[in-house]
Amino acid sequence: MRPRPLLLNAVDRLGRKIDPAVLSIAHEIGPRALAYARIPIGDPAEAINYLEEAAASVSAAIEQKRCSGTPEVRNVAAYLFRTFVRMVDEARRKKPVLEASSRENGNAQLCLSAQVRVETTVLLNEVMATCDRGSREVVVLRLEGFSWAEIGKHLSISTHAAEARFSKALEHARKTLKIPRRKGLGGLSSCLREGAGRKDTNLNR
Amino acid sequence: MSSGRRRSKGHKPKPVDKEFLELGRKHFAEGFPNPSREGCPNDDVLKLLAEKPAHVADDVQKHITSCSPCYRTYSKFLHKIKTARSH
């Protein structure tokens, strides 16, 4: 079976141009380069990206040598392959560090969402334990997906009163428990903001 | 002059708020298991609470927030009413 030809771009992923002569050599050494990168990189598409980057770097180096009058590269294929090997090795060295970093980031987010969950439940328990019946009813109906207008109609109060009761109940619980407002986490703060009346909306700007 | 943004009266929760509301709903629907159904009112009372909240005693309203089976039953009645009203 004939090997499938490599499809290399004339620019690398950073937008740097690849000299046509270097590109042609990159096509020639492509299969060998991909075989080298199979274990450390794994993904052939990523390996091709590195090969394009190496080709762009080599193109720039050749151009620089030409301009400065320094001796030309004798064996471009070997030069390109060495550049590619250096890039792959560097990527392999960085890989565990990047993975550990993203894992830590993921764990931190997990802890934070767990904290928001706990805060939400504590807040709602406080509302149910300390607030008057009207406020409790509004909170329960809101949790059940009723709009402010539907809550108002159901409890025979105005839409604004429904919003204000919800807001006051949660604000009161939050102050009692000293739970800080959070931005973009579990909608806790934004929910308070949305539930707040005009006065609170201004305060939260 | 008001600087607050005006919203339509019947606006629905935003996606971020939905997360908070969903957490809260789940908390009351699952966080208070009461397998022996101690102190639970009849389903008729829960239905009445959903239909006419003013006609039911305060204790029943408080009970549903500390008993997940009753909360779920009450929630079922509430949604039936909501569906009926929307048609």
Side-chain angles (χ1 to χ4, degrees), chain B residues 37-69:
Chain B
R37 302 303 300 267
E38 210 171 306
C40 291
N42 289 332
D43 282 6
D44 292 343
V45 180
L46 294 175
K47 192 178 177 189
L48 189 64
L49 179 68
E51 286 170 354
K52 296 170 185 171
H55 290 63
V56 179
D58 199 18
D59 292 350
V60 179
Q61 205 280 330
K62 214 159 191 177
H63 175 81
I64 61 158
T65 57
S66 57
C67 172
S68 293

Side-chain angles (χ1 to χ4, degrees), chain A residues 117 120-121 124-125 133 136-137 143-145 148 150 154 159 163 186-188 190-191 194 198 202 205, chain B residues 2-3 7 9-11 16-17 20 23-25 27-28 50 53 56-58 61 65 71 75 79 82 85:
Chain A
R117 209 163 32 242
T120 304
T121 54
L124 288 169
N125 285 344
R133 180 173 173 165
R136 293 200 308 266
E137 282 174 340
L143 293 182
E144 286 300 316
W148 298 125
E150 285 168 335
H154 191 75
T159 304
E163 277 194 71
L188 192 56
S190 61
C191 195
E194 191 205 345
R198 192 171 293 160
N202 290 337
R205 277 218 179 123
Chain B
S2 159
S3 58
R7 297 184 298 261
K9 281 187 174 181
H11 75 281
V16 275
D17 303 321
F20 169 80
L23 268 177
R25 202 198 68 75
H27 169 60
F28 290 121
V56 179
D58 199 18
Q61 205 280 330
T65 57
Y71 184 87
S75 165
H79 285 280
K82 196 181 172 189
R85 279 182 189 163

